[in-house]
Every structure is written in structure tokens, then in C-alpha cells.
Amino acid sequence: MATGTTMTKDAILKVEHLSMKFGGLMAINDFSFEAKRGEITALIGPNGAGKTTVFNCITGFYKPTMGMITLSRENGNEFLLERLRDFEINKVAGVSRTFQNIRLFSGLTVLENLLVAQHNVLMKASGFTVLGLLGLPAYKTAAKEAIDKARYWLELADLIDRADDPAGDLSYGAQRRLEIARAMCTGPELLCLDEPAAGLNPKESLTLNTLLRTIRDGGTSLLLIEHDMSVVMEISDHVVVLEYGQKISDGTPDHVKNDPKVIAAYLGVEDDEVEAIEEKLDEGTV
Amino acid sequence: MAYTTENNQSGVMTKAIKEGIFAGVIALGMFLLFVGIETYQDINNQLVWRTRWGLLGVFVAVAAIGRFVTVGFIKPHLDSRKLAKAKTGVLEISDEKGFFRTHFLKIALIFLLCYPFLAMLIFGRQGSLKYVDNFGIQILIYVMLAWGLNIVVGLAGLLDLGYVAFYAVGAYSYALLSAHFGFSFWLLLPMAGILAALWGIILGFPVLRLRGDYLAIVTLAFGEIIRLVLINWTDVTRGTFGISGIEKATFFGIWSFDVGAANNFNKAWGLPSSSVYYKMFLFYIILALCMLTAYVTIRLRRMPIGRAWEALREDEIACRSLGINTVTTKLTAFATGAMFGGFAGSFFAARQGFVSPESFVFLESAVILAIVVLGGMGSLTGIAIAAVVMVGGTELLREMEFLKHVFGPDFTPELYRMLLFGLAMVIVMLFKPRGFVGTREPTAFLKERKAVSGSFTKEGHG
Ligand SMILES: Nc1ncnc2c1ncn2[C@@H]1O[C@H](COP(=O)(O)OP(=O)(O)O)[C@@H](O)[C@H]1O
Ligand SMILES: [Mg+2]
């Protein structure tokens, strides 16, 4: 990453004044943050803080009540995600995601899951099915390339031995890795992961961290939701903390870790006590 | 084993007798009024009643003996077989298949190719008519329809209760266009398919936003609307009278099957005049159409669009997150399924020479859907077997004259068609809840092609 350090990192995703209302509930309230290209950005916060809702706004599953979400691709194209149709966010803007409650095609095999993810590339290669039906060689090479790409990700996700088994037959940790591999097979520039470490045992958690770092080093930016602080601190370059739909902290893992507001949010301390801690910290630093 | 002793044997027998008697009593209670007593109108148009103790006796005996045999013999036999298998360590699901299983499709195809000639050899020229037409062509039409619907229901997971509408569009397209413009069967066959596909898209646009039950209801309504239009638009469709005298299919324009025509097929080949040759020709056409449907389905499943259909059935939200346009994907499934319905419809019109709205009632949609579900959603082989069992079975019922000796001379077995159809469905669903072929063939593999168990696949949700 010699060039990565010298190059000033630009923002791949800019979320500005995002608000989302469900009935009377303000799930997200005037939330702004940036995710830098080539970094792992973590979005953390207690349960019910609105992290998944932010994801759903970014990836087009919810239409935000207010706000602007801008994605800049490497080639300079910019997209306002809230204006795109749900499938275009992946197809045109290059954002892919996983789900908090895993959504695999459980009746398809592991390999097929990864081939479905390459739908748009293969569709074009098959001349929107017509040329492929006639058995043209262009489609055959594209299909072979798709399998090679799938094999590459299966190896990285340590799933190569399970390639021909139904996805529903995998263990929980393997299903998580498959969902990430499937999202990567769409060739995204930004990968959004919703609590990828939830429910994993320590060993699975460790392999996951390696996989995420590999993905980042391969040039894909990551946006990652987590409510377990310890996982986040280890792998993320930049952390944004959300509580009750509002940003309470934003910065490097070290900065966030020592932010009294974050500590209060995670320990469930009252507001006046937060102020008390803040005062103490201020006194200490001065 | 210690517990398969004499003692246990007699225990099973007493249990079987007890349960048999119990089943008999329940059957008696259930059928006493339904079967034992019959009301009818006599010559003076008065409603009177009479008893049918004999028939009631048959019902009760079947229930009692059936239960006795099941509990006393069949279950112990199955249990001991399972036990023996468990002891030898052979898994229930064995990978090894016999010669017949591995070559089943080839054998079936060869049999179908020879079928009309076999029928003619065995039953003579006129005798074979029934076998080629009532069994062969009839079953193959349903195979084709069910394979077409399978794309929509089995692959894409969209519950379509109005499939017969596309069948009707195909049939009327052929009937009307050939009557008004004199186009030939071979031109109108693809046109009917394209028209039906167009209707599939027209229906699809407003409907595909709906999901699950709502989609099912709206497609059902669409089927009924088409039928009502056919009944009421009398200027064009002649309403309930239907359209008759539809032109026959020609031998690719070279020979005609019309009796009076100069290039009559039978005359040209020096064959005796008989309609059986036309039926045989039709048999091969529908066989070819079925093969086309199967080929296209198999090819499409291995293409991105087919995989997207199946992914849609598994999880629509995940599909969208992967950049798949679910609306166009659903539309193509609808249109492709409708196209095959249209092909089958135009063939139907050419075969019958007559179409009327009567042929396109909801029951037809239900039967086609039942075949798809019974066969195992998505499996071509399973669906073909289900079509043979269901359609062939109901045709066989017509043949069962001997039942009249059992149930009396006014017994018409055809009337019990739907009853038996339902019964068969319940039984199959009890023992094979995923249909005859519950497993799914993967469309791609790295090392080996392993069938996916039905417990992992989903049915879709509209
Ligand atoms: N579709 C929805 N309809 C109504 N309320 C919702 C919906 N989705 C989320 N919420 C509410 O928004 C808040 C944030 O939820 P969520 O984003 O899932 O939190 P997190 O992922 O941080 O645990 C919760 O109070 C939740 O009940
Ligand atoms: Mg969440």
C-alpha cells in the first residue's frame, strides 16, 4: 500500500443530514458522516440505535425522510443513492451489503449463490439470454470466468470444500462468510456489513477479521456495523458512534474509545454523570 | 433383536384387529348417511330415498381391512426393513442407482418415440386411436402445460392460479387468425406463443408488485376475466358456441390431412383412409413441443436468468441487494411460462378443431398447478410422472366398466374423477410432501453434482 499512504484519501460515501421517521419515531435524526475510500469504517452503537436503518437507507431498502447520500466511484462518477432504485444501488453505484439476519439462497448450492451474484455481468455476456441460448462461445468463456471468480472467493472465505453443498446446510459462521463472498462477487467498491461478527465463536470471529482485512487491502472500502466494541477497535480505521439516531462520536478507534459520551452510552450512565466525567477529563488534560 | 419375538408378533396382530375394527366403525359412522342412504327423483318427480347397504358395506370393509393390513403387515415390514438397513449401515439415501434409474430419461424418450407404432401393432389401426389420442396426446398436452407453469411456479416461485388464460389466448389466437386470415398452423404456432407471452407481460406489469396470496388471487381473477371476455365478446369469439371447423395442422405444408384435399397425406403414401395417421402426426408434434419446453427450461436454468428465477424464489430481498432487477426477472418468468401455454393452446385448437370457453375454466388451472406441485416444484421428471399418473389415471377411469358391476349400473366412474384426484393428491402429499421428485439438481458444480434436498429449497412467496 505504498501509494495508499501518500495519496490523500477521498470520501467514497458521504451521508448528510440523514433523517428517517417511522410513524412518530425519529429512528435517525440529522445524521452525517463520511466513509473514506480504502478504509474500514465502523458504525457502532447500542441495540436499537438505528444502525440497520442507516444501512437500509444507504442500500435503498428505505427511502430516507430527509438527507442526501452521495457515493463517488473511483472513475469519478457520483451517485445520489436515495434517488436510485433499490437494485441500481448495487448494479450502477457498486454498493453491496449483507444482512443482520443472514439472507442466503438456501436451496441453491454455495457455488450457485456466488453465480447469482454475478447476474449482471453474465446477463450481458449472454446477450440477455438470447445469444447464450444459441450456445455462443462468448457466453461460455464468461461463464467460466464467473466460476473462477467464485472459486477465488470460496478459497478466501474458506468454503471451497463446501462449494457443491446447499447454502442452507452450512454452519452459522460459514453462512456469514458465504454472504460476504456473495456480496464481493458483485464487484462492489463499497461493502456494507451488518453485524458480521454477531453469533460467531472467537475462532470464527478471528477468520472473519482476516477476511475483512483482505477485502480492504484488495481495494474495496468497508462500512461495518457492530455493537461489540472490541471487534471494531481491532480492525476499523474510523469509527462513528450512533445513539438514539444521533451521532455522539466520530474519529479514530482510540479517540472513540476514550470519549466519555461513548463510555456513557455503552455503560448506560445518566446524562449528568457524563458531564461530571467530561469535567474530570478536562481537568486532567488541562 | 430381542423384541421381535412371538409375543410381540401376536401383540401386533391384536393391535391390528383392534385398529381395523375401530376404522370400520368410524367409516360406518361417516358414510352411513352419505353413502348408505340415497335420495332421488322418481317418475312422478317426487323426491324419495332408498338404501345402499351394499355400497356402504364396501366402504366400511375397505376402511377396516385397509387399516388392518397397514397396521398388521405393512408397517412391521417397513420397520424391519429400516432396522435391517440401519444395522448393515446402508444409508436411506443411497447414491447408487440401478440401470433403469440412470437411463430413465433415455428409456422414456425411446418409448415415447415408438409409442404410436406400438399402440398400432397391439390394438390395430382403429383400436390404437384411443391410446394415441386420449392417452398419448392428452397426457403430453398436460405435461407441456405443467412444464410451462413450472417456470413460473416451480422456478420463480410466483403462484399463478390463472395459467389457463394463456392456454386460452394461444387456442383462440390460432382459431381466429386461421379463420380470418387463413394462416397455417406452422406460422400461427409461434405467433400464438408470442401473443400469449405478450399477455403475460401485460398481466405481469400491474400484478407483479403483489406478493403471495394477493398475487394468487389476482392471477385467478385474470384467468376468469379472459374466459368471460371469450364468452361475452360474441361478435368475435361466438361466445359459448365456440369456434368450430378450425383448420388442421398440415405436414409442414407439403401434405394435408383434409380428406378431400388433393395432396392428402394418406393418399400420397398409399395408406388406407383413417384419422389415426393424423393423430399420430399430432402426437409427434406435441412430443416435439414438450421436448422444446424441456430443452429451453434446462438451458435457461443454467443461464443467469434461470438462476435469477430460482434466487427470486429463495429470497427476493437478497436478489435486489445483488443488483438483480426483480421486476424484469419476474416478467421474463411470466412471459416465458405464458409462451409455452400459448404454444400448447394453439396445438390444442388444431387437435380439437373446436374451441369454446368451456375448455378454459379455473379447474384446468387448478389441475395444471396440482400436477406441478405433485411432481415436485421445479423437477421436469417429477412433473411428467405426475401428469401421467393424474391425467392418465382419470382417463383410465373412463375405461373401468367393471366398476359398474360392483357399484351398480348407474355408476359413472368419470364423475368420481375429481374425488380420486383429490384423494391421490392427499396421499402423495402425506408421503412425499415435496412431490414425486423433491430434490433439486444444481445448475453448476465444482467437483460433483449433488442433488439439493427439498428441505432447503423454498416455495417462494409471490
Ligand atoms: N421498518 C421499521 N418500522 C418501524 N420502526 C422501525 C423499522 N425499522 C427500525 N425501526 C425502529 O428504528 C429503531 C432503530 O432500529 P435499528 O436500525 O434496527 O437499530 P440497530 O440496528 O441499531 O439495532 C428501533 O427503535 C426500531 O424499532
Ligand atoms: Mg441492527
Side-chain angles (χ1 to χ4, degrees):
Chain A
M1 294 290 288
T3 53
T5 44
T6 53
M7 192 177 68
T8 48
K9 285 175 179 167
D10 58 329
I12 180 164
L13 180 75
K14 231 188 278 175
V15 173
E16 288 160 286
H17 307 293
L18 181 72
S19 295
M20 182 79 211
K21 216 171 177 175
F22 293 115
L25 175 81
M26 210 60 173
I28 309 289
N29 193 357
D30 195 20
F31 175 56
S32 307
F33 79 98
E34 278 185 10
K36 296 249 161 43
R37 188 181 303 285
E39 283 193 351
I40 298 183
T41 307
L43 184 60
I44 66 171
N47 261 330
K51 303 174 302 275
T52 301
T53 307
V54 171
F55 258 42
N56 283 339
C57 290
I58 293 173
T59 53
F61 285 88
Y62 293 160
K63 272 261 160 313
T65 318
M66 244 188 303
M68 198 158 92
I69 307 168
T70 320
L71 187 119
S72 333
R73 292 200 71 149
E74 218 149 52
N75 58 16
N77 287 350
E78 290 206 340
F79 298 96
L80 289 176
L81 296 188
E82 76 275 7
R83 300 217 180 138
L84 294 181
R85 283 188 288 166
D86 48 16
F87 73 93
E88 286 174 337
I89 288 180
N90 179 281
K91 188 179 172 179
V92 182
V95 178
S96 73
R97 71 169 291 180
T98 65
F99 296 86
Q100 187 168 354
N101 42 351
I102 306 174
R103 285 182 172 277
L104 288 173
F105 306 123
S106 59
L108 309 190
T109 66
V110 170
L111 177 69
E112 283 177 309
N113 267 270
L114 300 191
L115 293 179
V116 171
Q118 303 177 53
H119 178 80
N120 288 318
V121 176
L122 286 175
M123 203 66 182
K124 210 182 259 167
S126 71
F128 299 91
T129 311
V130 181
L131 300 178
L133 261 188
L134 303 175
L136 256 65
Y139 173 65
K140 279 185 190 148
T141 47
K144 234 175 86 60
E145 277 164 21
I147 288 190
D148 287 340
K149 186 169 188 180
R151 182 178 293 147
Y152 172 78
W153 281 106
L154 284 175
E155 258 153 23
L156 275 187
D158 193 20
L159 288 167
I160 193 81
D161 297 329
R162 305 297 307 269
D164 299 323
D165 291 326
D169 199 23
L170 299 180
S171 72
Y172 197 71
Q175 291 198 9
R176 283 250 179 247
R177 292 200 303 278
L178 174 59
E179 208 190 11
I180 295 171
R182 187 181 68 180
M184 286 310 295
C185 276
T186 64
E189 280 183 33
L190 178 69
L191 174 66
C192 303
L193 303 169
D194 196 343
E195 305 214 7
L200 299 194
N201 65 34
K203 202 177 136 225
E204 287 172 328
S205 198
L206 221 60
T207 33
L208 180 78
N209 286 357
T210 329
L211 178 63
L212 297 189
R213 283 205 194 93
T214 319
I215 290 173
R216 178 195 55 191
D217 297 343
T220 307
S221 319
L222 279 95
L223 181 62
L224 156 82
I225 287 183
E226 210 26 271
H227 78 255
D228 182 359
M229 291 268 272
S230 58
V231 179
V232 173
M233 295 308 157
E234 217 177 288
I235 59 165
S236 40
D237 305 302
H238 174 191
V239 180
V240 179
V241 191
L242 199 63
E243 192 196 14
Y244 295 121
Q246 276 172 316
K247 186 160 85 173
I248 57 170
S249 187
D250 186 343
T252 62
D254 276 331
H255 168 83
V256 167
K257 209 173 356 186
N258 298 318
D259 190 331
K261 274 191 185 159
V262 178
I263 298 169
Y266 268 84
L267 298 177
V269 200
E270 299 296 328
D271 277 351
D272 44 333
E273 285 180 54
V274 176
E275 277 160 27
I277 297 173
E278 267 177 343
E279 276 165 23
K280 264 187 212 156
L281 279 175
D282 285 344
E283 282 162 19
T285 48
V286 171
Chain B
M1 299 306 275
Y3 46 84
T4 52
T5 53
E6 279 299 303
N7 200 356
N8 192 283
Q9 206 74 351
S10 70
V12 167
M13 276 301 131
T14 32
K15 190 173 163 225
I17 291 169
K18 253 191 230 160
E19 293 215 1
I21 292 172
F22 189 59
V25 171
I26 287 184
L28 181 69
M30 270 176 67
F31 293 118
L32 184 63
L33 294 180
F34 289 123
V35 179
I37 293 168
E38 183 194 27
T39 55
Y40 65 102
Q41 277 176 326
D42 65 4
I43 277 178
N44 306 324
N45 258 346
Q46 279 175 320
L47 194 67
V48 289
W49 62 282
R50 63 181 168 209
T51 54
R52 292 193 293 190
W53 300 134
L55 190 58
L56 180 65
V58 171
F59 271 69
V60 172
V62 165
I65 295 171
R67 186 71 196 159
F68 172 74
V69 171
T70 316
V71 175
F73 299 98
I74 297 178
K75 252 188 83 191
H77 174 68
L78 289 181
D79 284 349
S80 67
R81 224 176 50 178
K82 230 185 237 170
L83 207 66
K85 267 190 188 160
K87 258 195 279 180
T88 52
V90 180
L91 281 174
E92 275 295 309
I93 343 127
S94 158
D95 277 340
E96 261 180 67
K97 295 176 188 168
F99 172 81
F100 186 71
R101 291 272 309 267
T102 41
H103 298 275
F104 175 72
L105 290 180
K106 277 177 219 147
I107 295 172
L109 187 59
I110 291 170
F111 171 75
L112 280 175
L113 285 173
C114 307
Y115 177 76
F117 292 100
L118 280 177
M120 204 139 117
L121 266 181
I122 299 171
F123 300 102
R125 195 179 308 123
Q126 287 311 314
S128 70
L129 250 178
K130 184 176 80 189
Y131 290 92
V132 175
D133 195 19
N134 292 4
F135 285 93
I137 296 179
Q138 185 75 3
I139 290 174
L140 286 177
I141 286 181
Y142 277 95
V143 169
M144 173 149 183
L145 285 170
W147 279 352
L149 182 62
N150 173 51
I151 293 174
V152 184
V153 179
L155 295 185
L158 304 165
L159 188 52
D160 180 357
L161 293 182
Y163 189 63
V164 81
F166 305 121
Y167 189 37
V169 168
Y172 271 85
S173 305
Y174 178 54
L176 292 173
L177 292 177
S178 88
H180 288 294
F181 301 103
F183 293 153
S184 81
F185 175 75
W186 295 106
L187 179 65
L188 286 176
L189 181 72
M191 263 173 83
I194 291 167
L195 281 173
L198 265 177
W199 275 103
I201 292 171
I202 290 170
L203 164 73
F205 259 115
V207 155
L208 291 177
R209 298 170 180 283
L210 305 172
R211 301 178 57 129
D213 313 350
Y214 301 98
L215 176 71
I217 300 276
V218 175
T219 51
L220 178 111
F222 177 74
E224 287 303 286
I225 288 169
I226 292 266
R227 193 172 63 87
L228 290 176
V229 167
L230 293 180
I231 290 177
N232 290 307
W233 196 9
T234 40
D235 299 343
V236 177
T237 64
R238 284 191 231 152
T240 44
F241 295 114
I243 300 172
S244 53
I246 299 170
E247 206 181 312
K248 286 178 172 173
T250 61
F251 198 98
F252 307 107
I254 306 170
W255 294 293
S256 158
F257 288 96
D258 287 326
V259 180
N263 56 347
N264 181 281
F265 181 82
N266 298 13
K267 263 189 237 157
W269 287 83
L271 296 166
S273 90
S274 159
S275 65
V276 76
Y277 299 106
Y278 181 53
K279 297 293 181 198
M280 282 171 76
F281 176 62
L282 286 179
F283 180 89
Y284 285 112
I285 294 180
I286 187 71
L287 185 60
L289 284 174
C290 280
M291 289 301 114
L292 177 77
T293 315
Y295 176 78
V296 171
T297 308
I298 291 169
R299 284 304 294 264
L300 282 182
R301 272 196 71 213
R302 293 182 191 161
M303 307 274 287
I305 188 71
R307 290 207 191 100
W309 289 340
E310 290 201 81
L312 202 63
R313 177 193 68 205
E314 299 287 319
D315 195 324
E316 185 176 342
I317 288 178
C319 277
R320 279 193 244 144
S321 82
L322 296 173
I324 295 174
N325 186 342
T326 50
V327 174
T328 50
T329 307
K330 284 181 183 178
L331 275 181
T332 49
F334 239 71
T336 315
M339 183 180 75
F340 289 119
F343 286 156
S346 69
F347 174 83
F348 173 79
R351 173 222 186 188
Q352 300 292 89
F354 168 74
V355 289
S356 82
E358 279 292 287
S359 312
F360 309 108
V361 289
F362 169 66
L363 191 65
E364 288 296 310
S365 290
V367 167
I368 301 165
L369 184 65
I371 291 171
V372 174
V373 173
L374 272 182
M377 299 215 281
S379 158
L380 295 183
T381 319
I383 289 169
I385 295 172
V388 171
V389 171
M390 287 295 149
V391 183
T394 50
E395 287 298 321
L396 264 183
L397 266 183
R398 281 187 226 279
E399 310 290 314
M400 298 205 172
E401 287 299 309
F402 70 87
L403 287 177
K404 287 199 171 160
H405 301 301
V406 183
F407 294 109
D410 354 319
F411 182 81
T412 33
E414 293 102 288
L415 294 183
Y416 290 81
R417 205 170 78 113
M418 277 301 135
L419 181 74
L420 290 181
F421 204 102
L423 204 67
M425 271 205 75
V426 171
I427 291 172
V428 174
M429 287 292 119
L430 270 180
F431 290 100
K432 293 217 143 218
R434 290 271 164 175
F436 288 134
V437 179
T439 56
R440 176 183 168 273
E441 279 285 304
T443 59
F445 61 97
L446 276 191
K447 293 191 194 76
E448 56 170 328
R449 193 185 289 277
K450 294 187 230 171
V452 175
S453 149
S455 55
F456 293 115
T457 50
K458 302 211 172 77
E459 293 90 10
H461 31 245

